[in-house]
Amino acid sequence: PRRRGGRLTPLPGRTQARARAVGDGFAANVACHGEVGAAGCVYVRGRCGVDLWGGIADLTTGTPWAEDTLQYVFSTTKGFTATCAHLLVQRGELDLDAPVAAYWPEFSANGKQHIPIRWLLSHRAGLPALDTPIPLADALTWHPMITALAAQRPLWPPGSVHGYHAQTFGWLVGEVIRRITGRTPGTFFADNIATPLNLDAYIGLPPAHRHRVGRLTEPTPAPPPDPTAPRPPPPVTTPHPHPHHPPTPPPPTPPPP
């Protein structure tokens, strides 16, 4: 969008009248605040109130952001994977209170034999990382990561605390799905959730859709501070007395000599 006569050109898409401020804010973000490209969609009580897109999807080619541009969603795929697991629970194929090792026997190594499925889903299994990380290429082939997680010792007593499993959740829950169904989490999600619901969402993007992806752009690094620039004076703070304690009296004035 661009400014015309002091006003922003509307972005492609649709916005309900009561959500006009959302559309104006989104357009201003793209036009005035350095946003390269983005999309936003908001449903209220089952109805679409805002569906907007704008900017550039790929700075190297100048491809504009389109209605069907795909976006990286990062850890949102944890929700996709957890939904697959809960679908298996609904079908009676997975028991949240059963030990993981009942479905994945190798997982029982290093004292993990009693960890239930629900602790994988709630980030309480104590397996947020590997003692010996493996290369990304090996992790993406699935089985090396699964072998490493099966052998890994918990980093805290399982079930005692919550700790976000940022880099292991997909493999932990996904392997349980694979052991039950014989399909990868991405294939199970596509066959049982995305396709039936007509969702344009993927765990593992098919090559035919790669041209639709909005490319990430690294932020411009801030310039280093100028060592010759004068430093601002330190802030002056005035202590405030505690409401329940009298202020400390000043020290006595020494007598004159």
Side-chain angles (χ1 to χ4, degrees):
R2 300 189 180 189
R3 287 192 176 274
R4 293 189 306 189
R7 301 185 65 183
L8 288 168
T9 305
L11 287 171
R14 46 200 171 272
T15 305
Q16 290 183 358
R18 63 178 178 172
R20 188 172 300 159
V22 177
D24 291 345
F26 192 97
N29 198 46
V30 175
C32 310
H33 301 297
E35 179 63 72
V36 176
C41 187
V42 180
Y43 276 76
V44 180
R45 296 177 180 173
R47 295 187 178 184
C48 180
V50 176
D51 187 10
L52 298 171
W53 58 91
I56 303 299
D58 187 345
L59 285 179
T60 62
T61 63
T63 303
W65 203 285
E67 184 176 10
D68 66 344
T69 295
L70 294 172
Q71 304 171 60
Y72 297 98
V73 293
F74 297 98
S75 284
T76 302
T77 53
K78 291 182 174 67
F80 297 178
T81 307
T83 301
C84 292
H86 283 89
L87 183 59
L88 292 174
V89 173
Q90 178 178 293
R91 293 175 178 175
E93 299 179 57
L94 176 62
D95 181 355
L96 293 178
D97 292 310
V100 176
Y103 305 94
W104 177 5
E106 299 88 343
F107 184 83
S108 62
N110 256 323
K112 303 192 301 296
Q113 65 272 18
H114 300 304
I115 294 178
I117 295 292
R118 67 172 63 250
W119 288 356
L120 298 186
L121 290 163
S122 59
H123 301 260
R124 301 177 69 87
L127 300 166
L130 297 172
D131 287 334
T132 304
I134 65 175
L136 177 61
D138 289 346
L140 295 179
T141 60
W142 193 264
H143 294 290
M145 186 71 168
I146 295 307
T147 299
L149 285 169
Q152 175 65 37
R153 62 177 181 85
L155 301 185
W156 61 75
S160 60
V161 295
H162 167 278
Y164 186 45
H165 287 48
Q167 299 179 351
T168 58
F169 183 96
W171 283 274
L172 291 168
V173 178
E175 181 63 8
V176 174
I177 294 168
R178 193 184 74 85
R179 294 288 175 128
I180 293 172
T181 67
R183 287 176 282 180
T184 64
T187 301
F188 184 85
F189 175 77
D191 293 345
N192 293 270
I193 297 175
T195 299
L197 296 177
N198 196 28
L199 302 178
D200 200 6
Y202 308 90
I203 303 176
L205 185 67
H209 295 293
R210 289 179 183 170
H211 69 283
R212 297 170 52 203
V213 175
R215 303 295 173 178
L216 296 178
T217 301
E218 293 290 337
T220 303
D226 181 358
T228 64
R231 295 185 179 182
V236 177
T237 58
T238 302
H240 296 279
H242 192 279
H244 301 298
H245 300 283
T248 303
T253 304

